[in-house]
Amino acid sequence: MLDNGRRVTLDGSALRTTDIAALADRTAHPAPPDPKAYARAEESWETARRLAATGRVYGRSTGVGANRTEDVGAAGADHGLRLLRSHAGAIGDPLPGREVRAMLAVRANQLLAGGAGLNPAVITALLDALDSGAHPVVNEHGAVGTGDLAALAQTGLALAGEHPWHCAPGGRAPAPLALDNNDALALISSNALTFGQSALALDELRRLLAASLPVAALSLLAVGGSAEPFAEPVLLARPHPGSAAAATRLRTLSGIPPRPTPPLGRIQDPYGFRCLPQIHGPALDAADTLDRVLTVEVNAAAENPLISIEDQAAYHHGNFYAAHAALALDTFRLAVLQTARLSTARLAALSEPDLTRLRPFLGDAAPASSGVMILEYAAGAALGEMRAVSHPASLGHAVLSRGVEEQASFASLGARQALRACTYYRQILACELVAAIRALRLRSLEPDPGLPLATAYHLAAEVLDPRMEDRPLTDDVGVAMGVLEGLAGV
């Protein structure tokens, strides 16, 4: 639902990943662009037109890729539209609207950084589309991490009135724009779709990482686990920021003092509990790294060529190559995967009578009750899918355009993989949450009132089915998936 009270002002320098998610989900809408940034974009456009009229500027007065040596000349008046038409060949399913809106937000902001030399009316049109909820129909495949050429070419044709828009109820598409030779490459020379999708994945996975700690704390309570792994001296002895943050939050959730009293029972818990800070911490650190990389990218004038107002020059370069994002995405997915593995380990621990002092698989009193046995299989299947999409996309390779473009980052694939990982991670955590609440109910245990963990427990217990007999648990996991959003804010 659109929140008309929140506005995001784009200025080419201060857009945050959380702003992109809000604009994509329509919980915020764009304010008019920053006037100084818009004026700079206008000056960049005028500079680019002068440069292209008096010299060779890639993609404006020449062809692109292996055609870079061919001059367009006076006969190429329709070169810009031909370039958009030829590059608008994305294939696959149409992308969800929120992903396309994220792309529009990123591209509008990048253009306001003032290095593209693009008609500023395009910026206005992109912001109008965001405001009304309209987005061009964009297909999934057409990029290898060196520019989202096909998706942005489809966007360019939509702006020119030659490609369809999808409009929200009551919304409208922008009026068609007259684009010329100076507007085509300047629009498509960007990884805006990749960065938009990455911002959405980062936003969702961060919330799931936040939710995973109360889930883990509930499991820890259910097995009577030790608080020693989260002691302040332990984390100070090896002070990685993410690990310290994870341990501190778990102590806060559970009311654990910085120097807890050693337990009277078992000396060490399984890794699913004992190594939580060391495995969850790298995911938090990787999220911060990806956020920093994306913040640079979505506020960058990375178009090739760069139109420098100060130098009155066009600089041809490789800033479109998205290696930073590809590597940060790969690292983040792999780090989150480790926390998902830990969740399945805790799920297995909850089925173990030696840890819970309950029947195997948290079964009821019926002979050979299976309880939550199947959840281990379901979570394992989801983990397998998550492992597949965590394979490093940057291992990919491509040689394109007659060998002129002989390397590819595949950041675009990494972004799509990160979005898919969200679904599987949510399913895995939900399986653990169902089992943890069941174990606590069977043990007649609840977190102490007043603790944040008590809030988390009641958020889940109030909506999860209390029946313990053997029955299908599909709906329970579906309910638990919905609860995770609330747990993220506990």
Side-chain angles (χ1 to χ4, degrees), residues 366-461:
S369 171
S370 294
V372 298
M373 179 193 293
I374 196 61
L375 293 188
E376 286 190 66
Y377 293 78
L383 183 66
E385 297 282 359
M386 189 172 175
R387 184 168 56 246
V389 298
S390 297
H391 183 81
S394 56
L395 291 175
H397 180 62
V399 178
L400 305 168
S401 196
R402 297 174 58 201
V404 172
E405 299 168 4
E406 72 278 24
Q407 176 77 331
S409 75
F410 283 95
S412 48
L413 173 59
R416 293 196 303 275
Q417 288 176 320
L419 283 169
R420 293 184 180 116
C422 297
T423 297
Y424 307 129
Y425 192 34
R426 188 179 295 274
Q427 292 170 347
I428 293 164
L429 293 176
C431 288
E432 182 189 355
L433 178 58
V434 169
I437 296 299
R438 182 184 179 103
L440 290 169
R441 282 171 166 164
L442 286 168
R443 295 193 62 192
S444 299
L445 270 178
E446 290 189 17
D448 290 341
L451 290 178
L453 193 59
T455 302
Y457 173 81
H458 289 295
L459 280 173

Side-chain angles (χ1 to χ4, degrees), residues 50 121 126 212 229 318 355 394 405 459:
R50 285 197 300 272
L126 294 178
S212 72
L355 293 172
S394 56
E405 299 168 4
L459 280 173

